Amino acid sequence: MNTSTSFATTITTSTDGTNDPALRSWVASAAREAGDFPIQNLPYGRFRRRGSGEPWRIGVAIGDDVLDLRAALPAVSWPAPVAAAMAPLADGDLNAFMALGRPVWRATRAALSAALAVGSTAQASLAPCLVSQAEAEMTLPCRVGDYTDFYIGIHHATAVGKLFRPDNPLLPNYKWVPIGYHGRASSLGVGGDIRRPAGQLKAAGDEPPVFGPCKRLDYELELGALIGTANEQGRPVTIQAAEDALFGLTVLNDWSARDIQTWEYQPLGPFLSKSFATSISPWVVTMEALAPFRRPFVRPDGDPAPLPYLDSPFNRAAGALDVTLEVWLETAAMRAAGAPAVRLSQSNALDAAYWTWAQLVAHHTSNGCNLQPGDLLGSGTLSGPGAGQAASMLELSVGGKQPLLLPGGEQRTFLADGDRVTMRAYCQAVGTARIGLGEVSGTVQAAAAG
Ligand code: CA
């Protein structure tokens, strides 16, 4: 880990005592091998006890449990600034906490880490504030005012480009401009039932188009970044400052109707093929927890260097992140037979991403566009270059031409009703605690009648 202080912005990515792999929690399940939520993680989510109808509140995942911050705030004598920062969390308002900025986030994380560590005097007071994750109902972690989806997975962009333009898969702007479009925030959720959309479809040879249920329903495995602090309209965020605007990451499934997309996308890009549903994992893993997994941002030899507004020494040294990403599929038949889900792909953001999060923030605001606390940026589909690393069915089935053979004899080119898609992400490296981003699952429901 690079902890040099020679960069203007080091606060995000420098590790501290909260990242120490030797740290242990008095919550025994936090030490479970390959668990997502050790004491070094401490992600935030919005929850309530399932079926209780009680107000939503922010909790911190620890092992198999959630620390209920609504209960924890009055249970312990927190340092005054931390207690003030935790007040909106107790009220279920993560956005207000996100707006407070990195020094407050770090102080709160340090206090939570100390309180949950072995030997803490807060143990007896906080133990009753734990709720089993199995009993927690989760919702979106924050209000997402705006959602932007980028396209930074260069292997995905190349593979999809080849389906349409075999000789010229990447358009000339790709290596210069972080490509993106404005998505739809109202249809964001944390998974569950996903209704198959209907729309205009026009298969080759169809004349005219028809309206009906999507026949080529797909997923896209992405990471989502949640913005912490806002910028004023007309005031771009420099790449040096961009790191401090980022609050944390989630796993993101950009559900995609390929047949609707094919017919509608020119000339203005995706519209109804994407806006029916987007799912994110309910736990936001903070940039502080991800600090041990920072890696240099490098470009292949011969590729253009980013323009100066997308370049900084810090970004080159530690702008990228080592995150492993997986997609799992369980069909209705597999579920009925009690068969386990099958892994469709495994990829890594380090291989897949052509731009860093700081570059996306700097680019997004470079025209003066203002970002707000809770805004969501999707990375784009994070496919790797190899077999078994394709993070959408469009790629796995080569545009629907090569069906996937599933255990049990089923085949898929795109998703069928009853299919359950689960995406997971985690970080692991020698000498660090494993940090999981949790998972997001969605089950495809039949299109609405009529
Ligand atoms: Ca996408």
Side-chain angles (χ1 to χ4, degrees):
M1 184 58 223
N2 191 326
T3 52
S4 162
T5 53
S6 63
F7 300 122
T9 307
T10 54
I11 196 164
T12 308
T13 57
S14 53
T15 53
D16 61 22
T18 64
N19 303 107
D20 182 352
L23 202 59
R24 290 288 175 270
S25 174
W26 49 263
V27 180
S29 61
R32 192 156 42 78
E33 191 84 12
D36 277 344
F37 307 120
I39 190 171
Q40 294 83 357
N41 194 341
L42 305 177
Y44 295 99
R46 188 153 51 149
F47 84 104
R48 63 187 174 194
R49 286 159 188 78
R50 192 182 304 283
S52 69
E54 65 190 5
W56 295 104
R57 72 278 317 271
I58 303 299
V60 173
I62 178 80
D64 296 334
D65 292 331
V66 187
L67 179 67
D68 177 349
L69 296 183
R70 191 180 184 91
L73 176 56
V76 171
S77 177
W78 301 95
V82 171
M86 281 173 62
L89 300 178
D91 288 336
D93 184 358
L94 189 60
N95 298 69
F97 179 74
M98 293 164 120
L100 296 174
R102 177 138 281 118
V104 175
W105 308 336
R106 285 175 74 92
T108 305
R109 172 178 168 84
L112 288 166
S113 176
L116 288 166
V118 165
S120 164
T121 55
Q123 177 176 351
S125 306
L126 290 182
C129 307
L130 294 175
V131 177
S132 165
Q133 283 179 33
E135 294 168 19
E137 174 188 1
M138 307 297 299
T139 188
L140 283 176
C142 61
R143 293 184 312 281
V144 179
D146 277 303
Y147 158 47
T148 303
D149 198 22
F150 283 94
Y151 196 57
I152 71 171
I154 189 167
H155 305 296
H156 171 78
T158 305
V160 172
K162 271 184 189 156
L163 295 174
F164 301 101
R165 299 176 300 276
D167 301 329
N168 182 28
L170 279 186
L171 294 171
N173 57 4
Y174 190 85
K175 293 183 176 179
W176 296 97
V177 183
I179 304 294
Y181 69 97
H182 288 296
R184 182 84 198 161
S186 68
S187 51
L188 277 168
V190 291
D193 290 346
I194 303 297
R195 178 74 60 191
R196 178 181 297 273
Q200 278 202 28
L201 316 172
K202 186 178 178 302
D206 273 6
E207 215 48 81
V210 298
F211 185 90
C214 161
K215 294 174 185 161
R216 290 162 70 97
L217 183 61
D218 200 357
Y219 58 80
E220 292 186 341
L221 169 60
E222 307 191 13
L223 286 171
L226 287 160
I227 297 297
T229 49
N231 64 297
E232 199 180 317
Q233 190 175 5
R235 296 282 179 117
V237 180
T238 64
I239 190 162
Q240 288 80 8
E243 292 286 355
D244 280 336
L246 289 160
F247 184 74
L249 300 190
T250 68
V251 190
L252 186 152
N253 184 348
D254 179 18
W255 300 94
S256 297
R258 300 299 182 195
D259 39 8
I260 299 173
Q261 185 177 357
T262 301
W263 175 228
E264 77 173 3
Y265 89 102
Q266 289 178 317
L268 280 183
F271 179 41
L272 301 180
S273 55
K274 302 278 191 172
S275 61
F276 59 95
T278 306
S279 305
I280 61 171
S281 54
W283 295 108
V284 188
V285 174
T286 63
M287 301 312 282
E288 284 74 25
L290 296 168
F293 306 97
R294 290 297 194 130
R295 300 290 181 268
F297 164 76
V298 287
R299 280 277 165 87
D301 286 344
D303 277 16
L307 291 178
Y309 80 102
L310 296 175
D311 183 35
S312 75
F314 180 80
N315 191 64
R316 271 176 255 147
L321 276 168
D322 179 354
V323 186
T324 300
L325 303 148
E326 298 180 350
V327 180
W328 295 73
L329 177 68
E330 176 196 82
T331 68
M334 292 162 75
R335 195 155 50 246
V342 59
R343 193 176 75 196
L344 297 184
S345 70
Q346 185 182 59
S347 53
N348 191 295
L350 208 53
D351 306 323
Y354 198 71
W355 302 96
T356 67
W357 290 111
Q359 287 171 323
L360 299 186
V361 169
H363 182 67
H364 202 309
T365 62
S366 61
N367 65 345
C369 172
N370 49 324
L371 295 174
Q372 303 186 87
D375 280 1
L376 174 67
L377 310 184
S379 60
T381 313
L382 294 175
S383 300
Q389 299 181 345
S392 70
M393 292 197 88
L394 181 69
E395 292 159 86
L396 287 171
S397 70
V398 194
K401 292 195 277 291
Q402 295 178 15
L404 299 175
L405 301 178
L406 303 177
E410 290 182 277
Q411 295 191 358
R412 287 288 182 280
T413 48
F414 292 97
L415 295 170
D417 292 347
D419 284 356
R420 180 178 170 87
V421 178
T422 299
M423 297 177 172
R424 299 199 174 99
Y426 53 90
C427 305
Q428 55 187 19
V430 174
T432 65
R434 179 187 187 278
I435 298 294
L437 278 76
E439 63 179 44
V440 58
S441 275
T443 306
V444 178
Q445 307 295 309

Short mmCIF file of all heavy atoms in Angstrom, two decimals, residues 147 149-150 181 220 222 254 256 274 380-381, ligand 1:
data_model
loop_
_atom_site.label_atom_id
_atom_site.label_comp_id
_atom_site.label_asym_id
_atom_site.label_seq_id
_atom_site.Cartn_x
_atom_site.Cartn_y
_atom_site.Cartn_z
N TYR A 147 -28.54 9.17 -11.51
CA TYR A 147 -27.79 7.94 -11.79
C TYR A 147 -27.19 8.06 -13.19
O TYR A 147 -27.90 8.36 -14.15
CB TYR A 147 -28.72 6.74 -11.68
CG TYR A 147 -28.28 5.49 -12.41
CD1 TYR A 147 -26.98 5.00 -12.30
CD2 TYR A 147 -29.19 4.78 -13.19
CE1 TYR A 147 -26.60 3.86 -12.97
CE2 TYR A 147 -28.82 3.63 -13.86
CZ TYR A 147 -27.52 3.17 -13.76
OH TYR A 147 -27.14 2.05 -14.43
N ASP A 149 -24.64 6.04 -15.97
CA ASP A 149 -23.97 4.78 -16.26
C ASP A 149 -22.86 5.01 -17.27
O ASP A 149 -23.10 5.54 -18.36
CB ASP A 149 -24.97 3.75 -16.80
CG ASP A 149 -24.44 2.33 -16.69
OD1 ASP A 149 -23.53 2.09 -15.86
OD2 ASP A 149 -24.93 1.45 -17.42
N PHE A 150 -21.64 4.63 -16.88
CA PHE A 150 -20.50 4.75 -17.79
C PHE A 150 -20.30 3.45 -18.57
O PHE A 150 -21.12 2.52 -18.50
CB PHE A 150 -19.24 5.12 -16.98
CG PHE A 150 -19.21 6.58 -16.59
CD1 PHE A 150 -19.70 6.99 -15.35
CD2 PHE A 150 -18.72 7.54 -17.45
CE1 PHE A 150 -19.68 8.33 -14.98
CE2 PHE A 150 -18.70 8.88 -17.10
CZ PHE A 150 -19.18 9.27 -15.86
N TYR A 181 -23.90 7.74 -20.10
CA TYR A 181 -25.22 8.32 -20.42
C TYR A 181 -25.97 8.48 -19.10
O TYR A 181 -25.64 7.85 -18.10
CB TYR A 181 -26.02 7.43 -21.39
CG TYR A 181 -26.47 6.11 -20.79
CD1 TYR A 181 -27.75 5.96 -20.27
CD2 TYR A 181 -25.60 5.03 -20.72
CE1 TYR A 181 -28.17 4.76 -19.71
CE2 TYR A 181 -26.00 3.83 -20.16
CZ TYR A 181 -27.29 3.70 -19.65
OH TYR A 181 -27.69 2.52 -19.08
N GLU A 220 -26.00 -6.87 -16.76
CA GLU A 220 -24.64 -6.36 -16.92
C GLU A 220 -24.04 -6.24 -15.53
O GLU A 220 -24.60 -5.55 -14.66
CB GLU A 220 -24.63 -5.00 -17.63
CG GLU A 220 -25.07 -5.10 -19.09
CD GLU A 220 -24.94 -3.77 -19.85
OE1 GLU A 220 -24.85 -2.71 -19.18
OE2 GLU A 220 -24.92 -3.81 -21.09
N GLU A 222 -21.68 -4.73 -13.00
CA GLU A 222 -20.95 -3.46 -12.88
C GLU A 222 -20.64 -3.20 -11.41
O GLU A 222 -21.22 -3.82 -10.53
CB GLU A 222 -21.79 -2.29 -13.43
CG GLU A 222 -22.31 -2.52 -14.84
CD GLU A 222 -22.92 -1.27 -15.47
OE1 GLU A 222 -22.73 -0.17 -14.93
OE2 GLU A 222 -23.60 -1.41 -16.50
N ASP A 254 -27.08 -3.83 -14.16
CA ASP A 254 -27.78 -2.99 -15.13
C ASP A 254 -28.60 -3.91 -16.05
O ASP A 254 -28.13 -4.33 -17.11
CB ASP A 254 -26.76 -2.18 -15.92
CG ASP A 254 -27.40 -1.30 -16.99
OD1 ASP A 254 -28.61 -1.05 -16.90
OD2 ASP A 254 -26.68 -0.88 -17.91
N SER A 256 -30.81 -5.28 -18.81
CA SER A 256 -30.79 -4.72 -20.17
C SER A 256 -31.66 -5.56 -21.10
O SER A 256 -31.51 -6.79 -21.16
CB SER A 256 -29.35 -4.72 -20.72
OG SER A 256 -28.53 -3.88 -19.92
N LYS A 274 -33.11 0.10 -20.71
CA LYS A 274 -32.34 0.09 -19.47
C LYS A 274 -33.15 0.62 -18.29
O LYS A 274 -32.83 0.32 -17.14
CB LYS A 274 -31.11 0.99 -19.61
CG LYS A 274 -30.18 0.60 -20.75
CD LYS A 274 -29.26 -0.52 -20.36
CE LYS A 274 -28.16 -0.72 -21.39
NZ LYS A 274 -27.17 -1.68 -20.90
N GLY A 380 -20.17 0.56 -15.94
CA GLY A 380 -20.24 -0.17 -17.21
C GLY A 380 -19.82 -1.61 -16.95
O GLY A 380 -19.24 -1.94 -15.90
N THR A 381 -20.13 -2.47 -17.91
CA THR A 381 -19.95 -3.91 -17.74
C THR A 381 -18.48 -4.26 -17.61
O THR A 381 -17.68 -3.95 -18.50
CB THR A 381 -20.56 -4.64 -18.95
OG1 THR A 381 -21.85 -4.11 -19.19
CG2 THR A 381 -20.67 -6.13 -18.70
CA CA B 1 -24.47 -0.65 -18.40
#
